[in-house]
Amino acid sequence: MTRFVAITGVRDFESRVRQAIAGALHGDLEAFPPEVLAEGPDELLRRLTGAPAEVLILGPGVSIEDALKLATVLDLQHPEISLLLVTDPSPDLLLRAMHSGIRDVVSPEIQVNDLRLLLERACLSSASRRRNLAPAPEMEQHRGRVIAVMSPKGGVGKTTVATNLAIGLGRVAPMGVVLVDLDLQFGDVASGLLLEPEHSISEAVRGAAAQDSMVLKAFLTPHPAGIYTLCAPRTPAESDYITAEHVTRLLDQLASQFKYVVVDTAPGLGEHCLATLEQATDGVWVCGMDVPSVRGLNKSFAVLKALQLMPQGRHVVLNFADRKSGLSVQDVEATINAPIDVVIPRSRTLPFSTNCGVPVLQSKTKDVATGGLQKLVDRFDPSWVPPKRIKMHRREVVS
């Protein structure tokens, strides 16, 4: 079964591609010399002897202009094929490549392990595109769900919940999830996912990226679990130049390109958080099992109801649940006047996984908190059916 096609004149690179595929990725590689570019995409596809191609690798050793011309045509006629360009990248070339439909531009010196990861992501992207191209019963094009993850106070595990939610949704929609770090001053999504982003949200809300969603994708950082991230500014000072209007336009762009847009907001109800809520289809409120956190959530709900900014989908997560805290789940529900949808027990593994930069839903660690986090992910799966709740009489003990 042919899944990978390489057009290259460099034997060493072709050998590295074969090593990356062997024993790790399902499918074979067909390689062609650079001269096939002159024949056009139709002739290239006719040459294939196996199943339809999923990943086409252009270079090294090919003419960049010829590669971009081929990519432009293939992106229009066969958008399900993931296109990779192998050459020394430059800012100008990156923009031209993205406009031509190239998914990634990588250095010819890329090593086998990194190449294997890249090809795996390209396959996931191709599979996602094939599903999206399948005939749908409705002609209407649906926008992605924008999920705002919020908390009135810091220190309740909001970023941990957001990263695990994004990782879990990545299994539901591979390469169809983007996690946005909107804690602009002190966001730590990058460290929570062990990423070293080349770009940040500061660059993504300006210039060509703000006008073209394909260019915007060039500023996202891919994660090995099959999701994209848009990380916080490198310094708190950069956040001063990002307005609520920037946030609104950014989320609108991302919702048109991704099935799920998970937004990790800053604690409280600042202008960026309110701008997110205006775009959000769902809100996930993370609350700790302590009186200040519960009271803060109660006040937040009152403010948002008054502003008519409560999203249609409301999901309340009680984190650090502990019977020894002096509060019960029923106490919290009575105070916030809303049901607790997900309970995450206090866990030693969860903070350890955050410090390691590997969310528990990525490592598939068996832990008391894993079930709660997976339950939250399941609420956003299109096939999920909400369970029936039993009404109970509760008394408010936190005021």
Side-chain angles (χ1 to χ4, degrees):
M1 174 182 176
T2 300
R3 296 180 75 194
F4 306 96
V5 179
I7 301 177
T8 178
V10 179
R11 291 289 184 183
D12 175 66
F13 180 78
E14 179 185 334
S15 175
R16 271 181 280 154
V17 175
R18 294 190 185 279
Q19 291 178 53
I21 296 172
L25 302 174
H26 182 60
D28 298 321
L29 171 70
E30 275 197 75
F32 297 96
E35 290 75 25
V36 301
L37 289 175
E39 300 174 1
D42 292 336
E43 181 60 29
L44 171 64
L45 296 178
R46 275 195 293 267
R47 283 172 171 258
L48 300 181
T49 57
E54 295 184 18
V55 181
L56 174 59
I57 307 164
L58 299 167
V62 303
S63 164
I64 298 300
E65 296 301 326
D66 289 344
L68 293 180
K69 288 178 184 178
L70 180 73
T72 301
V73 177
L74 277 176
D75 187 53
L76 292 173
Q77 296 181 351
H78 301 277
E80 72 280 5
I81 299 178
S82 292
L83 304 170
L84 308 179
L85 180 62
V86 184
T87 186
D88 293 318
S90 67
D92 178 63
L93 178 60
L94 284 173
L95 291 179
R96 293 181 61 200
M98 293 303 166
H99 278 297
S100 299
I102 300 288
R103 185 184 180 277
D104 273 309
V105 179
V106 296
S107 168
E109 308 303 321
I110 186 170
Q111 298 302 305
V112 171
N113 288 337
D114 295 330
L115 186 57
R116 181 180 296 116
L117 180 62
L118 184 71
L119 294 176
E120 184 177 5
R121 291 203 304 262
C123 288
L124 291 173
S125 178
S126 175
S128 179
R129 289 184 182 186
R130 288 179 191 274
R131 285 195 299 269
N132 292 335
L133 289 171
E138 298 180 2
M139 295 302 292
E140 180 183 357
Q141 184 176 8
H142 296 286
R143 292 173 61 78
R145 294 176 73 168
V146 179
I147 307 168
V149 183
M150 297 164 291
S151 65
K153 297 179 179 295
V156 296
K158 174 177 55 59
T159 297
T160 299
V161 170
T163 52
N164 277 280
L165 174 59
I167 294 294
L169 290 175
R171 298 178 191 168
V172 177
M175 309 312 293
V177 181
V178 59
L179 172 59
V180 182
D181 193 345
L182 211 61
D183 188 348
L184 298 177
Q185 290 189 324
F186 302 106
D188 49 13
V189 162
S191 64
L193 291 176
L194 207 62
L195 294 173
E196 294 184 5
E198 184 178 352
H199 304 286
S200 75
I201 193 172
S202 303
E203 302 154 275
V205 298
R206 295 191 190 85
Q211 308 300 325
D212 191 323
S213 297
M214 288 303 296
V215 177
L216 174 61
K217 284 188 173 182
F219 292 88
L220 305 180
T221 303
H223 184 271
I227 67 170
Y228 287 96
T229 61
L230 184 56
C231 297
R234 296 174 182 83
T235 64
E238 293 182 43
S239 65
D240 295 340
Y241 302 98
I242 301 176
T243 67
E245 289 75 15
H246 285 142
V247 172
T248 298
R249 183 169 61 242
L250 173 68
L251 296 181
D252 183 63
Q253 285 180 277
L254 293 174
S256 70
Q257 298 292 318
F258 291 90
K259 187 172 182 178
Y260 298 102
V261 182
V262 181
V263 187
D264 183 19
T265 65
L269 293 174
E271 63 168 347
H272 299 117
C273 181
L274 295 178
T276 301
L277 284 170
E278 289 180 345
Q279 299 292 314
T281 58
D282 300 85
V284 174
W285 279 270
V286 184
C287 175
M289 208 162 186
D290 58 90
V291 171
S293 183
V294 175
R295 293 183 64 184
L297 184 57
N298 184 41
K299 293 178 182 178
S300 294
F301 281 170
V303 171
L304 294 176
K305 287 176 182 177
L307 295 174
Q308 297 183 341
L309 282 179
M310 188 69 75
Q312 184 176 3
R314 181 177 67 181
H315 317 266
V316 181
V317 177
L318 184 61
N319 200 12
F320 308 131
D322 189 344
R323 294 179 180 178
K324 299 178 181 180
S325 67
L327 297 178
S328 67
V329 173
Q330 289 76 19
D331 295 335
V332 177
E333 290 181 323
T335 302
I336 65 176
N337 196 29
I340 298 297
D341 300 295
V342 175
V343 176
I344 302 177
R346 187 177 294 278
S347 160
R348 293 183 179 180
T349 303
L350 209 55
F352 178 78
S353 69
T354 300
N355 293 337
C356 292
V358 182
V360 291
L361 290 188
Q362 179 186 355
S363 63
K364 300 181 182 179
T365 302
K366 297 293 184 180
D367 182 72
V368 292
T370 308
L373 290 166
Q374 185 59 51
K375 182 180 178 182
L376 176 62
V377 173
D378 292 342
R379 294 179 67 85
F380 297 97
D381 190 321
S383 62
W384 179 77
V385 178
K388 294 182 179 180
R389 289 186 58 86
I390 301 175
K391 293 185 179 180
M392 298 176 61
H393 295 289
R394 305 184 179 97
R395 57 190 179 88
E396 182 174 348
V397 298
V398 183
S399 58

